[in-house]
Amino acid sequence: MKKFLLIPFLLFAVFSMAACGGSDEEPSSPEQPGMSGQPDGGDGNDDGSDTPAPGGNGRYLVLYCSRTGHTEGAAQMIRTTLDCDILEVEPQVPYDNDYSSMLSRAQEELAGIRRGNYPAIRTSVEDFDGYDLIFIGYPIWHGSMATPMQSFLHEHAGKLAGKRIALFATSGSSGISASAGEARSLCPDATVIERALLLTSSTLPQMEGRISTWLDEIGAVREEPDTPDASSLKVNISTGDRTITATMEDNAAGRDFLSRLPLEVTLNDYNRMTEKIFYPSPALTTDGAARGCAPEPGDITIYVPWGNVAIFCKSWSHSNDLVKIGRIDGNGIDVLSVEGDVRVRIERQ
């Protein structure tokens, strides 16, 4: 799962407003640097299919389209709050940076949609299996849902049948009711939650609090991983016809180690039978794990500067560069306390 941190508090510019054809809402202000509409989210593939960037909570998916970055900011905040999957919906042809050209194209695309002609997009999703709730985010253009998201919902209506959808939008001043009606028309077999979130130019500075309140209101909560029981932290270490057991630590490094199993590795003798070591590839994460220990026989550790796993056969002095990730049970370390290298198979019980 890629790691994502809470985005810093965004400095938002007020949406630009321009009179155009009697519409009460225009597309948002011209793109900020780096937000030109070019692919900058998800994992786009040349074949048009996309894989959502994964989070730790697979129940939710955030889909969004954004031109100025306002909607993207809201989408990323939802994703970070829930630790869930996210994917950007992108037009096949990026929008012009020129604001007037953008206005004209938006009007043409909205008129085309009313005739049944949806603009091409480069984003598609194979299925929505496993998602309990799908967040749909978009800017409001001329009172309507932004056209790339309309195209996405039109193309994926069948796959979204039976799914729950939560809408959030950014707007200069228009309401969200018209675009909510469009969502229901585009996905008649999905359930669009009545309570939607609208962030206008006057409420964008309160984005974090408004999103938090809205998520509580619709019952979308972050799921913390269950604390594993002792048995789920147990591993077998086999060499020849002998098998010993070990118990891994419930920390990020220990869980990363468990996720790599089963492993068949050669434990190299180091420092005259003081340690048996090997180098996992890639190196195990040590994020959030306590550093520093005085290893005793049977301790399983990571030596952070080198990234190697070290199983201690003898006691050693305290080192701030060691992270303890487990311990061999009982007197099992005797099996590894031999001269030379040892070939082992490590697997979960």
Side-chain angles (χ1 to χ4, degrees):
M1 207 198 291
K2 297 171 188 176
K3 292 182 172 72
F4 287 80
L5 300 178
L6 181 63
I7 57 176
F9 186 77
L10 303 174
L11 297 177
F12 294 102
V14 176
F15 285 164
S16 296
M17 300 295 294
C20 184
S23 172
D24 64 353
E25 178 60 20
E26 299 298 336
S28 302
S29 54
E31 283 296 335
Q32 302 165 9
M35 300 287 185
S36 64
Q38 297 290 345
D40 62 355
D43 296 313
N45 301 316
D46 292 339
D47 63 2
S49 63
D50 286 78
T51 302
N57 187 341
R59 293 178 54 200
Y60 306 118
L61 170 64
V62 180
L63 292 166
Y64 73 94
C65 64
S66 183
R67 182 174 178 273
T68 64
H70 297 301
T71 310
E72 180 179 19
Q76 291 287 3
M77 191 167 288
I78 294 169
R79 185 274 168 96
T80 301
T81 302
L82 298 176
D83 188 23
C84 63
D85 297 1
I86 191 169
L87 179 65
E88 181 180 6
V89 173
E90 301 169 305
Q92 187 67 51
V93 178
Y95 289 97
D96 201 309
N97 284 338
D98 179 74
Y99 187 46
S100 296
S101 298
M102 170 60 193
L103 292 178
S104 298
R105 177 174 166 185
Q107 287 180 313
E108 292 173 1
E109 289 180 345
L110 288 168
I113 286 176
R114 287 191 288 271
R115 297 190 299 270
N117 300 319
Y118 290 83
I121 56 174
R122 67 181 301 271
T123 307
S124 70
V125 175
E126 185 66 27
D127 62 61
F128 299 93
D129 295 347
Y131 293 118
D132 296 336
L133 179 62
I134 298 162
F135 293 89
I136 303 293
Y138 50 88
I140 293 176
W141 292 353
H142 303 286
S144 290
M145 179 186 294
T147 56
M149 189 58 75
Q150 290 202 50
S151 291
F152 183 89
L153 295 183
H154 171 71
E155 293 179 7
H156 292 77
K159 296 177 181 178
L160 289 166
K163 292 297 179 181
R164 296 168 64 235
I165 292 174
L167 303 177
F168 65 99
T170 57
S171 165
S173 61
S174 291
I176 198 173
S177 59
S179 64
E182 290 166 340
R184 291 185 175 91
S185 296
L186 289 163
C187 300
D189 296 321
T191 299
V192 178
I193 295 175
E194 288 292 334
R195 189 160 190 84
L197 174 66
L198 177 64
L199 295 167
T200 63
S201 57
S202 62
T203 59
L204 276 171
Q206 293 85 46
M207 175 188 288
E208 184 173 3
R210 292 176 67 85
I211 286 176
S212 178
T213 299
W214 178 60
L215 294 177
D216 287 342
E217 290 172 345
I218 65 175
V221 296
R222 183 187 183 116
E223 287 187 341
E224 298 299 335
D226 294 333
T227 301
D229 58 33
S231 62
S232 67
L233 299 173
K234 291 284 190 179
V235 300
N236 290 333
I237 303 175
S238 301
T239 178
D241 60 356
R242 301 194 63 181
T243 298
I244 58 177
T245 64
T247 304
M248 305 308 297
E249 295 285 323
D250 182 19
N251 57 25
R255 290 190 295 270
D256 191 9
F257 182 85
L258 288 166
S259 73
R260 311 282 185 94
L261 302 183
L263 286 175
E264 290 192 10
V265 296
T266 297
L267 300 179
N268 299 123
D269 188 54
Y270 185 77
N271 195 16
R272 290 175 294 185
M273 294 174 53
T274 299
E275 312 164 37
K276 299 294 186 184
I277 69 172
F278 76 96
Y279 290 83
S281 180
L284 295 168
T285 183
T286 57
D287 291 348
R291 288 181 63 158
C293 74
E296 298 179 352
D299 283 347
I300 306 172
T301 67
I302 298 173
Y303 183 59
V304 177
W306 295 354
N308 64 284
V309 171
I311 303 176
F312 279 84
C313 302
K314 299 178 181 179
S315 298
W316 196 251
S317 59
H318 184 277
S319 172
N320 289 328
D321 289 324
L322 289 174
V323 172
K324 185 175 178 180
I325 64 171
R327 178 170 176 78
I328 292 177
D329 301 328
N331 297 320
I333 190 60
D334 293 344
V335 174
L336 303 181
S337 299
V338 295
E339 293 185 1
D341 302 339
V342 180
R343 184 72 178 174
V344 300
R345 176 180 173 83
I346 309 173
E347 58 190 346
R348 301 182 77 153
Q349 286 189 357

